């Protein structure tokens, strides 16, 4: 019986990072370039290819997790993590993406990394593609708009499932796949061409990714009995700005542009509303015989998602957004971070209920956190009461959602150690319970320092979410 009074005994508590935001070592041990390696100011900024010699690219060193993961996982163990989410960098395994044989040094690195997690009591939670498509597949093949990427991805999946299937139970295929509509460059390695119908490219790439997702689910269940393979989505929420019917209806339409992706991957079919969208945007998705059967038969086992904030929508406003979700008019009832992200714990509970009501499949909160400007105080410590307050209120909201009847597998806070911002490439925008001495220009010692929130989160996990003071 699923308990509704407290967090389940097997609840997964931990933190989440991504290879491109943490590992660094961007060409070490045979790794090829990923698309992330060409963004000097994050995925919302300009892209360089070929790379420029006089430009600083934050992903190239990041926080050097590649060489320091033992030290960093020791810090995570100190917070009693029983789960740790990261990604496998696809070009560490297949440097160009289209090779016949994988890179053994890359495979060995993740063997060692996962072994270290397990040794320290953490369940590896692994994303297969977290904005890390090999650069070669983007530049030479056109990214996921090219159906050939399905076979390249499945070859990659087969290799890592074979290698790590006995170490990893929880997998996710594509990170925040619904960000295809906000930033197709990061989510699908789709770089729009001059004069191209961008929506045609986005939806064609999305279809190819849906087929790849279904085939990965099929392959994973065959090769790794008992594994769980989730779909991962960016699902920070949006409210109507007023009760004006036009605001309400258009907000629903905006929300469905994100839920479209989870509708396909969790429900197993294209929803009826998408055909009107395609008609209005002159989109004609090419499908092969059997595609829809695969999508219907091999749906994801759980819904993983990121939630950071909410916003409001006014009728007639463009549908804008970025890595944190949709961005509309500010909500006067909510406080904001220095980056304009509005803090809304009740919106988190609302979203958990919305998603569980819609899909009736387990949810996994794999990203939730607060980006803030942290300063080292005169006493040498980092007093981040604002982060404790944010996380406490969101965990309380999650506990209320469990009482509402929502099934939640776990909570991996983003990111438990300071890493490079995906959207802006900054280090100044800090999420971690652990401070990393590095600035936006790449200067610093990379020293790790525990913040006040470190001991607080350790108490939360040790009490299975009961001690939130």
């Amino acid at each position: 019986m699923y308990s509704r009074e407290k967090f389940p005994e097997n609840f997964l508590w931990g933190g989440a990072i991504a290879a491109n935001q943490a590992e660094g070592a961007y060409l070490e041990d045979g790794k090829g370039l990923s698309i992330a390696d060409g963004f000097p100011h994050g995925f919302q900024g300009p892209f360089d290819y070929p790379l420029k010699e006089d430009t600083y690219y934050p992903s190239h060193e990041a926080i050097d997790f590649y060489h320091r993961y033992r030290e960093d996982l020791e810090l995570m163990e100190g917070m009693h993590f029983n789960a740790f989410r990261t990604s496998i960098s696809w070009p560490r395994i297949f440097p160009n993406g289209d090779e016949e044989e994988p890179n053994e040094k890359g495979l060995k690195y993740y063997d060692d990394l996962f072994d270290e997690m397990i040794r320290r009591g953490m369940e590896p939670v692994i994303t297969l593609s977290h904005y890390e498509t090999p650069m070669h597949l983007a530049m030479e093949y056109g990214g996921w708009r090219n159906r050939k990427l399905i076979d390249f991805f499945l070859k990659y999946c087969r290799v890592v499932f074979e290698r790590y299937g006995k170490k990893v139970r929880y997998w996710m295929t594509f990170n925040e796949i619904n960000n295809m509509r906000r930033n197709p460059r990061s989510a699908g390695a789709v770089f729009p061409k001059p004069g191209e119908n961008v929506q045609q490219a986005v939806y064609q790439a999305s279809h190819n990714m849906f087929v790849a997702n279904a085939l990965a689910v099929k392959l994973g269940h065959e090769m790794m009995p008992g594994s769980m393979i989730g779909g991962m989505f960016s699902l920070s929420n949006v409210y109507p700005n007023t009760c004006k019917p036009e605001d309400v209806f258009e907000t629903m339409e905006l929300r469905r542009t994100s839920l479209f992706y989870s509708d396909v991957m969790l429900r197993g079919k294209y929803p009826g509303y998408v055909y009107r969208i395609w008609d209005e945007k002159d989109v004609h998705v090419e499908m092969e015989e059997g595609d829809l059967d695969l999508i219907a038969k091999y749906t994801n086992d759980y819904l993983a998602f990121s939630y950071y904030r909410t916003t409001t929508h006014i009728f007639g406003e463009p549908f804008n957004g970025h890595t944190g979700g949709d961005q509309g008019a500010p909500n006067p009832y909510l406080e904001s971070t220095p980056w304009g992200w509005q803090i809304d714990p009740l919106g988190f509970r609302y979203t958990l209920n919305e998603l569980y009501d819609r899909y009736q499949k387990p949810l996994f909160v794999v990203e939730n956190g607060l980006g803030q400007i942290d300063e080292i105080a005169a006493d040498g410590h980092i007093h981040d009461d604002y982060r404790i307050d944010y996380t406490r209120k969101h965990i309380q909201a999650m506990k209320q959602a469990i009482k509402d009847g929502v099934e939640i597998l776990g909570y991996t806070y983003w990111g438990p150690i300071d890493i490079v911002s995906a959207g802006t490439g900054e280090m100044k925008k800090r999420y971690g319970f652990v401070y990393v001495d590095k600035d936006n220009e790449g200067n610093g010692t990379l020293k790790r320092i525990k913040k006040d929130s470190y001991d607080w989160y350790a108490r939360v996990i040790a009490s299975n979410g009961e001690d939130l003071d």
Side-chain angles (χ1 to χ4, degrees):
M1 183 69 179
Y2 189 76
S3 172
R4 294 187 179 185
E5 296 303 316
K6 59 183 180 179
F7 290 101
E9 290 302 316
N10 61 348
F11 194 78
L12 295 173
W13 290 101
I17 62 171
N20 72 89
Q21 294 169 255
E23 284 181 2
Y26 84 112
L27 289 180
E28 195 160 332
D29 291 333
K31 178 185 173 292
L33 290 173
S34 84
I35 54 171
D37 294 321
F39 287 94
H41 303 294
F43 292 119
Q44 293 164 215
F47 173 77
D48 296 334
Y49 186 79
L51 304 185
K52 298 177 180 178
E53 292 186 6
D54 59 348
T55 299
Y56 170 65
Y57 297 93
S59 70
H60 292 193
E61 183 189 44
I63 63 165
D64 197 30
F65 182 78
Y66 189 81
H67 298 108
R68 298 169 183 252
Y69 68 85
R70 291 181 179 86
E71 169 193 353
D72 291 341
L73 290 176
E74 182 179 5
L75 287 164
M76 303 306 121
E77 183 184 21
M79 287 184 280
H80 310 298
F81 282 19
N82 63 9
F84 188 82
R85 178 192 173 208
T86 188
S87 59
I88 297 173
S89 178
W90 185 354
R92 282 206 194 279
I93 311 304
F94 287 97
N96 288 321
D98 59 359
E99 294 92 346
E100 288 300 317
E101 298 297 327
N103 173 31
E104 175 58 30
K105 288 184 178 179
L107 288 167
K108 177 65 166 56
Y109 168 72
Y110 291 107
D111 262 327
D112 295 343
L113 175 63
F114 300 159
D115 287 346
E116 186 72 8
M117 289 184 200
I118 293 165
R119 186 176 76 83
R120 294 187 178 277
M122 297 174 215
E123 188 92 45
V125 179
I126 303 304
T127 313
L128 289 160
S129 182
H130 193 131
Y131 302 163
E132 292 149 354
T133 305
M135 184 80 80
H136 178 73
L137 298 185
M139 298 298 105
E140 297 299 320
Y141 292 87
W144 275 99
R145 61 158 74 80
N146 190 327
R147 194 176 174 98
K148 290 181 180 179
L149 264 71
I150 297 174
D151 290 337
F152 297 143
F153 183 70
L154 265 292
K155 180 187 290 185
Y156 160 58
C157 289
R158 186 177 296 278
V159 167
V160 299
F161 289 167
E162 174 68 28
R163 187 78 171 224
Y164 312 123
K166 293 182 179 178
K167 301 178 182 182
V168 179
R169 182 186 179 204
Y170 295 96
W171 299 86
M172 287 166 277
T173 49
F174 301 102
N175 180 71
E176 296 181 331
I177 184 173
N178 57 323
N179 274 345
M180 281 295 297
R181 71 173 187 83
R182 302 186 186 104
N183 195 333
R185 300 181 303 173
S186 60
V190 172
F191 292 80
K193 302 171 184 177
E196 180 178 26
N197 180 346
V198 174
Q199 293 303 310
Q200 172 67 34
V202 163
Y203 281 105
Q204 185 62 60
S206 299
H207 176 76
N208 294 339
M209 295 169 83
F210 293 149
V211 175
N213 174 76
L215 289 169
V217 171
K218 178 178 185 293
L219 184 67
H221 288 167
E222 291 170 353
M223 295 182 68
M224 304 178 296
S227 63
M228 296 187 71
I229 303 173
M232 196 284 182
F233 312 90
S234 170
L235 290 171
S236 293
N237 225 316
V238 57
Y239 305 133
N241 185 260
T242 72
C243 55
K244 181 181 178 182
E246 287 82 358
D247 282 0
V248 174
F249 191 86
E250 196 167 80
T251 300
M252 179 201 67
E253 292 184 307
L254 170 56
R255 185 61 170 167
R256 288 200 305 197
T257 61
S258 276
L259 294 174
F260 159 69
Y261 288 83
S262 43
D263 281 352
V264 175
M265 293 166 63
L266 274 295
R267 287 174 161 172
K269 63 181 181 180
Y270 278 95
Y273 60 80
V274 79
Y275 297 102
R276 176 169 182 162
I277 295 172
W278 289 353
D279 285 343
E280 292 175 352
K281 297 182 181 297
D282 194 26
V283 169
H284 306 277
V285 175
E286 294 182 8
M287 304 183 189
E288 291 191 1
E289 186 176 354
D291 283 359
L292 296 181
D293 290 338
L294 283 169
I295 290 169
K297 189 172 182 181
Y298 301 106
T299 56
N300 294 96
D301 299 316
Y302 63 93
L303 187 152
F305 72 103
S306 60
Y307 174 92
Y308 294 100
R309 57 180 177 78
T310 59
T311 190
T312 79
H313 177 72
I314 299 172
F315 175 72
E317 282 189 334
F319 290 178
N320 292 323
H322 45 68
T323 53
D326 292 307
Q327 185 69 56
N331 188 331
Y333 299 100
L334 300 176
E335 296 180 1
S336 297
T337 75
W339 282 267
W341 293 28
Q342 296 203 280
I343 299 170
D344 186 4
L346 185 58
F348 183 36
R349 179 181 172 188
Y350 173 90
T351 301
L352 287 160
N353 276 276
E354 171 200 35
L355 297 176
Y356 194 68
D357 286 352
R358 192 176 184 103
Y359 299 113
Q360 296 294 302
K361 285 194 174 184
L363 307 182
F364 198 155
V365 183
V366 295
E367 292 185 29
N368 172 244
L370 176 69
Q372 263 288 2
I373 299 170
D374 294 331
E375 302 287 350
I376 300 176
D379 61 5
H381 295 282
I382 300 155
H383 305 298
D384 58 340
D385 291 346
Y386 40 82
R387 182 167 292 107
I388 294 171
D389 185 63
Y390 175 98
T391 312
R392 175 193 294 118
K393 289 177 178 176
H394 283 75
I395 291 174
Q396 288 171 334
M398 185 166 54
K399 190 173 183 179
Q400 290 299 315
I402 289 173
K403 289 184 179 180
D404 294 334
V406 178
E407 182 181 358
I408 308 173
L409 297 173
Y411 176 85
T412 54
Y413 175 94
W414 184 273
I417 184 170
D418 292 345
I419 55 178
V420 173
S421 166
T424 63
E426 295 174 283
M427 282 297 301
K428 183 179 180 180
K429 185 182 183 185
R430 298 178 181 277
Y431 284 83
F433 305 123
V434 177
Y435 183 93
V436 177
D437 179 28
K438 190 174 186 181
D439 65 17
N440 285 354
E441 288 71 46
N443 305 306
T445 66
L446 293 174
K447 180 181 178 181
R448 276 62 165 154
I449 304 171
K450 297 176 184 177
K451 306 176 190 178
D452 286 357
S453 57
Y454 180 96
D455 289 333
W456 175 82
Y457 195 50
R459 292 195 301 272
V460 170
I461 296 177
S463 67
N464 195 29
E466 292 301 307
D467 183 359
L468 294 170
D469 294 331

